[in-house]
PDB file of all heavy atoms in Angstrom:
ATOM      1  N   ASP A 172     151.188 162.710  21.803  1.00 98.00           N
ATOM      2  CA  ASP A 172     152.493 163.267  22.211  1.00 98.00           C
ATOM      3  C   ASP A 172     153.636 162.671  21.391  1.00 98.00           C
ATOM      4  O   ASP A 172     154.762 163.171  21.426  1.00 98.00           O
ATOM      5  CB  ASP A 172     152.722 162.991  23.709  1.00 98.00           C
ATOM      6  CG  ASP A 172     152.612 161.510  24.041  1.00 98.00           C
ATOM      7  OD1 ASP A 172     151.470 160.990  24.100  1.00 98.00           O
ATOM      8  OD2 ASP A 172     153.640 160.863  24.201  1.00 98.00           O
ATOM      9  N   MET A 173     153.346 161.598  20.628  1.00 98.00           N
ATOM     10  CA  MET A 173     154.418 160.933  19.875  1.00 98.00           C
ATOM     11  C   MET A 173     154.668 161.534  18.493  1.00 98.00           C
ATOM     12  O   MET A 173     155.621 161.153  17.820  1.00 98.00           O
ATOM     13  CB  MET A 173     154.117 159.440  19.750  1.00 98.00           C
ATOM     14  CG  MET A 173     154.176 158.755  21.100  1.00 98.00           C
ATOM     15  SD  MET A 173     153.986 156.992  20.978  1.00 98.00           S
ATOM     16  CE  MET A 173     155.578 156.507  20.347  1.00 98.00           C
ATOM     17  N   VAL A 174     153.794 162.457  18.064  1.00 97.00           N
ATOM     18  CA  VAL A 174     154.018 163.124  16.765  1.00 97.00           C
ATOM     19  C   VAL A 174     153.872 164.629  16.966  1.00 97.00           C
ATOM     20  O   VAL A 174     153.399 165.072  18.009  1.00 97.00           O
ATOM     21  CB  VAL A 174     153.001 162.641  15.690  1.00 97.00           C
ATOM     22  CG1 VAL A 174     153.118 161.154  15.420  1.00 97.00           C
ATOM     23  CG2 VAL A 174     151.584 162.970  16.100  1.00 97.00           C
ATOM     24  N   ASP A 175     154.286 165.422  15.948  1.00 96.00           N
ATOM     25  CA  ASP A 175     154.160 166.867  16.151  1.00 96.00           C
ATOM     26  C   ASP A 175     152.729 167.351  15.857  1.00 96.00           C
ATOM     27  O   ASP A 175     151.939 166.631  15.240  1.00 96.00           O
ATOM     28  CB  ASP A 175     155.223 167.632  15.340  1.00 96.00           C
ATOM     29  CG  ASP A 175     155.112 167.348  13.853  1.00 96.00           C
ATOM     30  OD1 ASP A 175     153.972 167.189  13.372  1.00 96.00           O
ATOM     31  OD2 ASP A 175     156.153 167.261  13.178  1.00 96.00           O
ATOM     32  N   GLU A 176     152.466 168.574  16.297  1.00 96.00           N
ATOM     33  CA  GLU A 176     151.119 169.157  16.181  1.00 96.00           C
ATOM     34  C   GLU A 176     150.608 169.164  14.745  1.00 96.00           C
ATOM     35  O   GLU A 176     149.438 168.921  14.474  1.00 96.00           O
ATOM     36  CB  GLU A 176     151.128 170.611  16.686  1.00 96.00           C
ATOM     37  CG  GLU A 176     151.080 170.748  18.199  1.00 96.00           C
ATOM     38  CD  GLU A 176     149.722 170.405  18.796  1.00 96.00           C
ATOM     39  OE1 GLU A 176     148.700 170.659  18.111  1.00 96.00           O
ATOM     40  OE2 GLU A 176     149.681 169.853  19.913  1.00 96.00           O
ATOM     41  N   ARG A 177     151.543 169.451  13.817  1.00 96.00           N
ATOM     42  CA  ARG A 177     151.135 169.538  12.398  1.00 96.00           C
ATOM     43  C   ARG A 177     150.609 168.206  11.897  1.00 96.00           C
ATOM     44  O   ARG A 177     149.643 168.135  11.137  1.00 96.00           O
ATOM     45  CB  ARG A 177     152.326 169.987  11.538  1.00 96.00           C
ATOM     46  CG  ARG A 177     152.473 171.508  11.521  1.00 96.00           C
ATOM     47  CD  ARG A 177     153.561 171.948  10.579  1.00 96.00           C
ATOM     48  NE  ARG A 177     153.440 171.375   9.239  1.00 96.00           N
ATOM     49  CZ  ARG A 177     154.448 171.226   8.392  1.00 96.00           C
ATOM     50  NH1 ARG A 177     155.667 171.595   8.749  1.00 96.00           N
ATOM     51  NH2 ARG A 177     154.259 170.723   7.207  1.00 96.00           N
ATOM     52  N   THR A 178     151.272 167.115  12.317  1.00 96.00           N
ATOM     53  CA  THR A 178     150.823 165.779  11.901  1.00 96.00           C
ATOM     54  C   THR A 178     149.437 165.490  12.459  1.00 96.00           C
ATOM     55  O   THR A 178     148.566 164.961  11.756  1.00 96.00           O
ATOM     56  CB  THR A 178     151.839 164.704  12.392  1.00 96.00           C
ATOM     57  OG1 THR A 178     153.122 165.084  11.926  1.00 96.00           O
ATOM     58  CG2 THR A 178     151.481 163.325  11.896  1.00 96.00           C
ATOM     59  N   VAL A 179     149.225 165.876  13.734  1.00 97.00           N
ATOM     60  CA  VAL A 179     147.906 165.654  14.339  1.00 97.00           C
ATOM     61  C   VAL A 179     146.845 166.411  13.528  1.00 97.00           C
ATOM     62  O   VAL A 179     145.815 165.836  13.136  1.00 97.00           O
ATOM     63  CB  VAL A 179     147.882 166.136  15.817  1.00 97.00           C
ATOM     64  CG1 VAL A 179     146.472 166.014  16.393  1.00 97.00           C
ATOM     65  CG2 VAL A 179     148.878 165.339  16.658  1.00 97.00           C
ATOM     66  N   ASP A 180     147.116 167.681  13.248  1.00 97.00           N
ATOM     67  CA  ASP A 180     146.150 168.509  12.503  1.00 97.00           C
ATOM     68  C   ASP A 180     145.867 167.905  11.122  1.00 97.00           C
ATOM     69  O   ASP A 180     144.728 167.882  10.662  1.00 97.00           O
ATOM     70  CB  ASP A 180     146.672 169.941  12.327  1.00 97.00           C
ATOM     71  CG  ASP A 180     146.708 170.679  13.659  1.00 97.00           C
ATOM     72  OD1 ASP A 180     146.086 170.183  14.618  1.00 97.00           O
ATOM     73  OD2 ASP A 180     147.374 171.725  13.736  1.00 97.00           O
ATOM     74  N   TYR A 181     146.934 167.416  10.482  1.00 95.00           N
ATOM     75  CA  TYR A 181     146.789 166.850   9.139  1.00 95.00           C
ATOM     76  C   TYR A 181     145.900 165.602   9.168  1.00 95.00           C
ATOM     77  O   TYR A 181     145.004 165.435   8.331  1.00 95.00           O
ATOM     78  CB  TYR A 181     148.179 166.526   8.564  1.00 95.00           C
ATOM     79  CG  TYR A 181     148.144 165.877   7.201  1.00 95.00           C
ATOM     80  CD1 TYR A 181     147.604 166.557   6.106  1.00 95.00           C
ATOM     81  CD2 TYR A 181     148.648 164.591   7.008  1.00 95.00           C
ATOM     82  CE1 TYR A 181     147.564 165.956   4.847  1.00 95.00           C
ATOM     83  CE2 TYR A 181     148.621 163.993   5.761  1.00 95.00           C
ATOM     84  CZ  TYR A 181     148.071 164.674   4.681  1.00 95.00           C
ATOM     85  OH  TYR A 181     148.029 164.075   3.444  1.00 95.00           O
ATOM     86  N   ILE A 182     146.110 164.749  10.163  1.00 96.00           N
ATOM     87  CA  ILE A 182     145.321 163.510  10.242  1.00 96.00           C
ATOM     88  C   ILE A 182     143.853 163.825  10.541  1.00 96.00           C
ATOM     89  O   ILE A 182     142.945 163.246   9.937  1.00 96.00           O
ATOM     90  CB  ILE A 182     145.936 162.532  11.271  1.00 96.00           C
ATOM     91  CG1 ILE A 182     147.286 162.050  10.739  1.00 96.00           C
ATOM     92  CG2 ILE A 182     145.020 161.334  11.531  1.00 96.00           C
ATOM     93  CD1 ILE A 182     148.125 161.286  11.699  1.00 96.00           C
ATOM     94  N   VAL A 183     143.626 164.772  11.433  1.00 95.00           N
ATOM     95  CA  VAL A 183     142.233 165.174  11.723  1.00 95.00           C
ATOM     96  C   VAL A 183     141.599 165.717  10.436  1.00 95.00           C
ATOM     97  O   VAL A 183     140.457 165.379  10.094  1.00 95.00           O
ATOM     98  CB  VAL A 183     142.188 166.238  12.851  1.00 95.00           C
ATOM     99  CG1 VAL A 183     140.782 166.805  13.003  1.00 95.00           C
ATOM    100  CG2 VAL A 183     142.673 165.639  14.172  1.00 95.00           C
ATOM    101  N   HIS A 184     142.361 166.508   9.709  1.00 94.00           N
ATOM    102  CA  HIS A 184     141.877 167.078   8.449  1.00 94.00           C
ATOM    103  C   HIS A 184     141.506 165.975   7.448  1.00 94.00           C
ATOM    104  O   HIS A 184     140.451 166.030   6.807  1.00 94.00           O
ATOM    105  CB  HIS A 184     142.966 167.997   7.876  1.00 94.00           C
ATOM    106  CG  HIS A 184     142.612 168.591   6.556  1.00 94.00           C
ATOM    107  ND1 HIS A 184     141.702 169.629   6.443  1.00 94.00           N
ATOM    108  CD2 HIS A 184     143.022 168.296   5.296  1.00 94.00           C
ATOM    109  CE1 HIS A 184     141.570 169.934   5.162  1.00 94.00           C
ATOM    110  NE2 HIS A 184     142.355 169.146   4.441  1.00 94.00           N
ATOM    111  N   LEU A 185     142.357 164.944   7.361  1.00 92.00           N
ATOM    112  CA  LEU A 185     142.079 163.830   6.431  1.00 92.00           C
ATOM    113  C   LEU A 185     140.797 163.094   6.819  1.00 92.00           C
ATOM    114  O   LEU A 185     139.996 162.726   5.962  1.00 92.00           O
ATOM    115  CB  LEU A 185     143.241 162.825   6.417  1.00 92.00           C
ATOM    116  CG  LEU A 185     144.541 163.244   5.731  1.00 92.00           C
ATOM    117  CD1 LEU A 185     145.529 162.081   5.742  1.00 92.00           C
ATOM    118  CD2 LEU A 185     144.301 163.713   4.293  1.00 92.00           C
ATOM    119  N   ILE A 186     140.621 162.899   8.119  1.00 91.00           N
ATOM    120  CA  ILE A 186     139.425 162.163   8.571  1.00 91.00           C
ATOM    121  C   ILE A 186     138.165 162.975   8.270  1.00 91.00           C
ATOM    122  O   ILE A 186     137.139 162.437   7.867  1.00 91.00           O
ATOM    123  CB  ILE A 186     139.518 161.830  10.084  1.00 91.00           C
ATOM    124  CG1 ILE A 186     140.705 160.909  10.341  1.00 91.00           C
ATOM    125  CG2 ILE A 186     138.222 161.183  10.586  1.00 91.00           C
ATOM    126  CD1 ILE A 186     141.046 160.699  11.807  1.00 91.00           C
ATOM    127  N   GLU A 187     138.291 164.283   8.459  1.00 89.00           N
ATOM    128  CA  GLU A 187     137.099 165.131   8.273  1.00 89.00           C
ATOM    129  C   GLU A 187     136.837 165.473   6.812  1.00 89.00           C
ATOM    130  O   GLU A 187     135.773 165.985   6.473  1.00 89.00           O
ATOM    131  CB  GLU A 187     137.245 166.414   9.108  1.00 89.00           C
ATOM    132  CG  GLU A 187     137.112 166.108  10.604  1.00 89.00           C
ATOM    133  CD  GLU A 187     137.399 167.308  11.500  1.00 89.00           C
ATOM    134  OE1 GLU A 187     137.949 168.311  10.996  1.00 89.00           O
ATOM    135  OE2 GLU A 187     137.066 167.219  12.700  1.00 89.00           O
ATOM    136  N   ASN A 188     137.823 165.202   5.945  1.00 87.00           N
ATOM    137  CA  ASN A 188     137.672 165.533   4.522  1.00 87.00           C
ATOM    138  C   ASN A 188     138.020 164.319   3.658  1.00 87.00           C
ATOM    139  O   ASN A 188     139.164 164.167   3.211  1.00 87.00           O
ATOM    140  CB  ASN A 188     138.592 166.708   4.151  1.00 87.00           C
ATOM    141  CG  ASN A 188     138.209 167.954   4.903  1.00 87.00           C
ATOM    142  OD1 ASN A 188     137.288 168.670   4.525  1.00 87.00           O
ATOM    143  ND2 ASN A 188     138.907 168.212   6.000  1.00 87.00           N
TER     144      ASN A 188
END
Side-chain angles (χ1 to χ4, degrees):
D172 55 284
M173 293 186 75
V174 299
D175 59 36
E176 280 288 327
R177 276 185 51 204
T178 306
V179 175
D180 291 346
Y181 177 62
I182 293 170
V183 171
H184 177 75
L185 288 184
I186 297 170
E187 289 174 346
N188 297 278

